Amino acid sequence: MPIQPTFTRRALMAGAAALSLLAAAPASAAEPIKLGLVAALSGQSAKSGEAITRGIELALDKINGAGGVLGRPLELVSRDDESNPGKGLVAARELVQREEVAALIGGLDTPVSMAIVPYMNEAKVPFVGPWAAGTPITMNGAEENYVFRVSAVDEYVDEAITEYLISKYGAKKPGMILINNPWGESNEAGLTKALSKRGMEHAGIEKFESNDVDVVPQLTRLKEAGADSLFLVANVAPSAQVVKSLDRMGWDVPIASHWGPAGGRFTELAGASGEKVHFIQTFLFTDAAHPLFAALQEKYPEIETLADVTPATGIANAYDATLLLAAAIEKAGSTEGPAIREAMYQISGVEGVIKTYDMPFTPDNQDALGPEDYVFSQFVEGEIVPLMD
């Protein structure tokens, strides 16, 4: 039976060769580590969801190009929450239970994030927010908090825009025009606190719905109450309705806004007066030579100028959030949620596009960005630019 030994030797040689090839295989050949994304990828906030997606994808290109994490590539699995809290929660459950993601990124809208937070803490899977700014998202009272954020925080934003109206316009009696949802409630608390700290009173607090097309009655009440400036908190379309209502009234009043108008086609919807709204951002491209802008142009050919990037904040926040998550997974040496959470408190020297992060999270503060990272901006000819003093 001389054939059998020859066959055996060949089989062994083939097996050894296969093992050698596996050992030398790049990270892309290994089973990927999945990261989930839940965001508004359609509707009025689709531009914001697109920005978040692009930021994550650019970060994954960088990470995977350098060998991945734990020798494995990172893979993005996305779901559209349609700005609906119920759909957001269903999407989060599916990504955790069916897709077995190591962590979740997302929450464009505060109500959606607030719906997801309890589940993520219960599931013990890290949830990193690159957009929604509601204060209770990270300050949620959980004994073991799995929610982190690389974004603005309402309470800090409210302090910043209060100081801005006072120092820039000498505001003495600002009024509030707020979207009627948990995001509006979060900012009502923050703005009231900021005014109280200064011994100031507001002219009134008016709420409106996201589908309201006329906000003149609410604005008229604020004007008659003596408002000399306005705080605005709403996303793109409702913010545009506020501006158009002001135009119909002929009321030219200083407006300091949260970053809602930055999320899409604001000036297209609001008209020329949309440029009068000044709002917070955490990052802006001010130079077409920026390396991240060059990467955007290379990956997405439809981006030709800085005006084609709206909003840069969403890209930058998501990009940095992904780098921080990758660093935590690498440090944890594991894709288990509790291990990643503990590692989030230990990472340092992570070079993001907004800044370099050194121990950005602690159990008492799970927000990586603060007021020092904010910049005031406005739309000029469809492009978001920093305000000039």
Side-chain angles (χ1 to χ4, degrees):
M1 300 286 291
I3 296 176
Q4 186 173 351
T6 303
F7 175 80
T8 303
R9 283 196 300 271
R10 286 176 180 172
L12 288 172
M13 289 174 65
L19 288 172
S20 177
L21 285 172
L22 285 172
S28 59
E31 182 182 356
I33 297 171
K34 294 181 181 180
L35 299 180
L37 170 64
V38 175
L41 303 176
S42 60
Q44 68 170 22
S45 296
K47 291 291 289 184
S48 301
E50 178 185 76
I52 291 170
T53 301
R54 288 177 170 179
I56 296 171
E57 289 176 344
L58 288 174
L60 295 187
D61 286 348
K62 178 179 179 178
I63 294 162
N64 291 338
V69 175
L70 305 179
R72 299 162 61 185
L74 295 181
E75 177 183 293
L76 181 64
V77 185
S78 302
R79 295 291 183 270
D80 183 5
D81 62 38
E82 302 177 35
S83 295
N84 181 298
K87 291 183 178 180
L89 177 56
V90 169
R93 287 182 181 276
E94 181 195 352
L95 287 170
V96 170
Q97 297 174 4
R98 183 178 301 174
E99 297 292 342
E100 298 183 339
V101 298
L104 187 68
I105 301 172
L108 179 64
D109 303 273
T110 289
V112 175
S113 289
M114 292 301 297
I116 293 173
V117 163
Y119 172 69
M120 300 306 291
N121 281 331
E122 178 186 343
K124 299 185 184 298
V125 175
F127 177 32
V128 183
W131 190 283
T135 303
I137 293 171
T138 50
M139 304 177 195
N140 55 59
E143 185 174 344
E144 289 188 5
N145 188 2
Y146 280 77
V147 186
F148 301 83
R149 178 162 43 194
V150 183
S151 182
V153 183
D154 283 345
E155 187 169 327
Y156 302 157
V157 170
D158 296 332
E159 174 66 26
I161 61 179
T162 299
E163 184 58 33
Y164 178 77
L165 278 183
I166 294 170
S167 60
K168 179 78 172 179
Y169 298 104
K172 292 181 172 55
K173 197 176 181 182
M176 302 183 203
I177 183 75
L178 313 173
I179 196 69
N180 187 25
N181 68 19
W183 188 34
E185 294 169 6
S186 175
N187 283 279
E188 178 182 345
L191 290 166
T192 301
K193 180 179 178 180
L195 290 172
S196 177
K197 173 182 171 182
R198 293 166 173 79
M200 296 174 63
E201 295 184 356
H202 56 73
I205 302 170
E206 293 289 341
K207 303 288 184 71
F208 67 112
E209 304 298 331
S210 61
N211 58 353
D212 285 349
V213 295
D214 183 8
V215 199
V216 168
Q218 294 96 317
L219 292 170
T220 298
R221 287 192 289 270
L222 291 174
K223 184 178 182 180
E224 291 176 348
D228 59 6
S229 54
L230 292 177
F231 294 122
L232 171 62
V233 177
N235 281 328
V236 179
S239 291
Q241 295 301 338
V242 170
V243 172
K244 290 196 287 189
S245 294
L246 288 169
D247 280 348
R248 287 195 291 273
M249 294 171 62
W251 187 18
D252 188 8
V253 62
I255 306 172
S257 173
H258 210 306
W259 60 13
R265 303 174 293 115
F266 179 61
T267 48
E268 180 183 330
L269 297 172
S273 293
E275 295 189 358
K276 298 177 183 178
V277 179
H278 297 173
F279 50 89
I280 286 283
Q281 295 283 265
T282 54
F283 178 83
L284 291 170
F285 285 114
T286 56
D287 185 353
H290 194 288
L292 190 63
F293 182 72
L296 276 166
Q297 286 187 303
E298 182 178 352
K299 190 172 182 68
Y300 309 103
E302 62 270 28
I303 295 177
E304 297 180 357
T305 70
L306 293 175
D308 296 324
V309 182
T310 302
T313 284
I315 294 170
N317 290 358
Y319 182 88
D320 286 6
T322 306
L323 294 183
L324 291 170
L325 260 178
I329 295 171
E330 188 73 49
K331 189 164 191 66
S334 168
T335 58
E336 295 298 316
I340 298 172
R341 173 178 175 266
E342 287 303 314
M344 290 287 270
Y345 303 131
Q346 301 168 24
I347 53 178
S348 63
V350 178
E351 294 185 12
V353 68
I354 298 174
K355 64 180 181 180
T356 297
Y357 298 86
D358 290 307
M359 306 291 284
F361 304 113
T362 70
D364 296 322
N365 181 13
Q366 305 205 167
D367 284 285
L369 302 180
E372 68 277 7
D373 301 305
Y374 300 165
V375 56
F376 276 92
S377 57
Q378 67 182 136
F379 275 97
V380 175
E381 297 180 353
E383 180 181 338
I384 300 175
V385 300
L387 282 171
M388 305 302 291
D389 293 331

